[in-house]
Short mmCIF file of all heavy atoms in Angstrom, two decimals:
data_model
loop_
_atom_site.label_atom_id
_atom_site.label_comp_id
_atom_site.label_asym_id
_atom_site.label_seq_id
_atom_site.Cartn_x
_atom_site.Cartn_y
_atom_site.Cartn_z
N ASN R 180 209.80 -21.40 78.85
CA ASN R 180 211.18 -21.05 78.54
C ASN R 180 211.80 -20.21 79.65
O ASN R 180 212.96 -20.44 80.04
CB ASN R 180 211.25 -20.28 77.21
CG ASN R 180 211.10 -21.21 76.02
OD1 ASN R 180 211.20 -22.43 76.15
ND2 ASN R 180 210.83 -20.64 74.85
N ALA R 181 211.05 -19.25 80.15
CA ALA R 181 211.57 -18.38 81.20
C ALA R 181 211.91 -19.19 82.45
O ALA R 181 212.98 -19.05 83.05
CB ALA R 181 210.53 -17.30 81.54
N GLN R 183 212.42 -22.49 82.67
CA GLN R 183 213.50 -23.45 82.45
C GLN R 183 214.85 -22.75 82.42
O GLN R 183 215.84 -23.30 82.93
CB GLN R 183 213.25 -24.25 81.18
CG GLN R 183 212.18 -25.31 81.44
CD GLN R 183 211.84 -26.15 80.22
OE1 GLN R 183 211.94 -25.67 79.10
NE2 GLN R 183 211.42 -27.38 80.45
N ALA R 184 214.90 -21.55 81.86
CA ALA R 184 216.17 -20.82 81.84
C ALA R 184 216.62 -20.52 83.28
O ALA R 184 217.79 -20.69 83.62
CB ALA R 184 216.02 -19.53 81.04
N ASP R 215 212.41 -12.73 82.41
CA ASP R 215 213.06 -13.69 83.29
C ASP R 215 214.47 -13.22 83.64
O ASP R 215 214.96 -12.23 83.10
CB ASP R 215 213.09 -15.08 82.65
CG ASP R 215 213.97 -15.13 81.41
OD1 ASP R 215 215.18 -14.82 81.50
OD2 ASP R 215 213.45 -15.48 80.33
N GLY R 217 217.03 -15.47 83.42
CA GLY R 217 217.63 -16.75 83.03
C GLY R 217 218.96 -16.63 82.31
O GLY R 217 219.44 -17.61 81.73
N GLY R 219 219.75 -14.97 79.59
CA GLY R 219 219.68 -14.53 78.20
C GLY R 219 220.13 -15.58 77.19
O GLY R 219 220.71 -16.60 77.56
N PHE R 220 219.84 -15.32 75.94
CA PHE R 220 220.23 -16.21 74.84
C PHE R 220 220.12 -15.42 73.55
O PHE R 220 219.55 -14.32 73.54
CB PHE R 220 219.36 -17.47 74.81
CG PHE R 220 217.96 -17.23 74.28
CD1 PHE R 220 217.55 -17.81 73.07
CD2 PHE R 220 217.05 -16.44 74.96
CE1 PHE R 220 216.26 -17.59 72.58
CE2 PHE R 220 215.78 -16.22 74.48
CZ PHE R 220 215.38 -16.80 73.29
N LEU R 225 219.60 -20.06 67.37
CA LEU R 225 219.03 -21.28 67.94
C LEU R 225 219.47 -22.47 67.08
O LEU R 225 219.63 -22.34 65.88
CB LEU R 225 217.50 -21.20 67.95
CG LEU R 225 216.92 -20.15 68.90
CD1 LEU R 225 215.41 -20.05 68.72
CD2 LEU R 225 217.26 -20.49 70.34
N GLY R 241 212.64 -31.15 71.89
CA GLY R 241 212.42 -29.71 72.12
C GLY R 241 212.43 -28.92 70.83
O GLY R 241 212.32 -29.46 69.73
N GLY R 242 212.55 -27.62 71.02
CA GLY R 242 212.73 -26.73 69.87
C GLY R 242 211.44 -26.31 69.18
O GLY R 242 211.49 -25.65 68.14
N LEU R 243 210.30 -26.63 69.75
CA LEU R 243 209.04 -26.23 69.10
C LEU R 243 208.44 -24.97 69.71
O LEU R 243 207.53 -24.37 69.15
CB LEU R 243 208.01 -27.37 69.19
CG LEU R 243 208.27 -28.58 68.29
CD1 LEU R 243 207.34 -29.73 68.66
CD2 LEU R 243 208.09 -28.21 66.82
N GLY R 244 208.95 -24.57 70.88
CA GLY R 244 208.31 -23.47 71.60
C GLY R 244 208.37 -22.13 70.87
O GLY R 244 207.35 -21.49 70.61
N ILE R 245 209.59 -21.70 70.53
CA ILE R 245 209.73 -20.40 69.88
C ILE R 245 209.08 -20.40 68.49
O ILE R 245 208.38 -19.44 68.15
CB ILE R 245 211.21 -19.95 69.87
CG1 ILE R 245 211.62 -19.64 71.32
CG2 ILE R 245 211.42 -18.73 68.98
CD1 ILE R 245 213.07 -19.23 71.50
N PRO R 246 209.25 -21.44 67.69
CA PRO R 246 208.51 -21.46 66.42
C PRO R 246 207.00 -21.31 66.61
O PRO R 246 206.34 -20.60 65.85
CB PRO R 246 208.86 -22.84 65.84
CG PRO R 246 210.20 -23.16 66.41
CD PRO R 246 210.20 -22.56 67.78
N THR R 264 215.91 -12.22 79.85
CA THR R 264 215.25 -11.94 78.59
C THR R 264 213.85 -11.41 78.86
O THR R 264 213.20 -11.85 79.80
CB THR R 264 215.10 -13.26 77.78
OG1 THR R 264 216.39 -13.89 77.68
CG2 THR R 264 214.54 -13.01 76.39
N VAL R 266 210.51 -11.33 76.58
CA VAL R 266 209.88 -11.69 75.32
C VAL R 266 208.61 -10.86 75.21
O VAL R 266 207.75 -10.93 76.10
CB VAL R 266 209.49 -13.19 75.30
CG1 VAL R 266 208.94 -13.58 73.93
CG2 VAL R 266 210.69 -14.05 75.65
N SER B 196 204.17 -27.25 73.62
CA SER B 196 205.31 -27.91 72.98
C SER B 196 205.98 -28.93 73.92
O SER B 196 206.57 -29.90 73.45
CB SER B 196 206.33 -26.88 72.50
OG SER B 196 207.00 -26.29 73.61
N1 LIG F 740 213.80 -17.05 78.02
C1 LIG F 740 214.87 -17.78 77.62
N2 LIG F 740 216.05 -17.67 78.28
C2 LIG F 740 217.13 -18.38 77.89
N3 LIG F 740 217.11 -19.26 76.87
C3 LIG F 740 215.98 -19.41 76.17
C4 LIG F 740 214.80 -18.68 76.50
N4 LIG F 740 213.81 -19.03 75.63
C5 LIG F 740 214.36 -19.94 74.80
N5 LIG F 740 215.65 -20.17 75.12
C6 LIG F 740 216.58 -21.07 74.43
O1 LIG F 740 216.07 -21.35 73.15
C7 LIG F 740 215.90 -22.76 72.98
C8 LIG F 740 214.72 -23.06 72.09
O2 LIG F 740 213.51 -22.72 72.75
P1 LIG F 740 212.14 -23.38 72.30
O3 LIG F 740 211.98 -23.18 70.84
O4 LIG F 740 211.07 -22.85 73.17
O5 LIG F 740 212.33 -24.92 72.52
P2 LIG F 740 212.68 -25.71 73.87
O6 LIG F 740 212.44 -24.79 75.01
O7 LIG F 740 211.74 -26.87 73.83
O8 LIG F 740 214.11 -26.13 73.70
C9 LIG F 740 215.79 -23.30 74.38
O9 LIG F 740 216.19 -24.64 74.44
C10 LIG F 740 216.73 -22.39 75.15
O10 LIG F 740 218.06 -22.81 75.02
#
Side-chain angles (χ1 to χ4, degrees):
Chain R
N180 284 346
Q183 283 179 331
D215 66 58
F220 74 114
L225 293 174
L243 287 169
I245 291 178
T264 307
V266 185
Chain B
S196 71

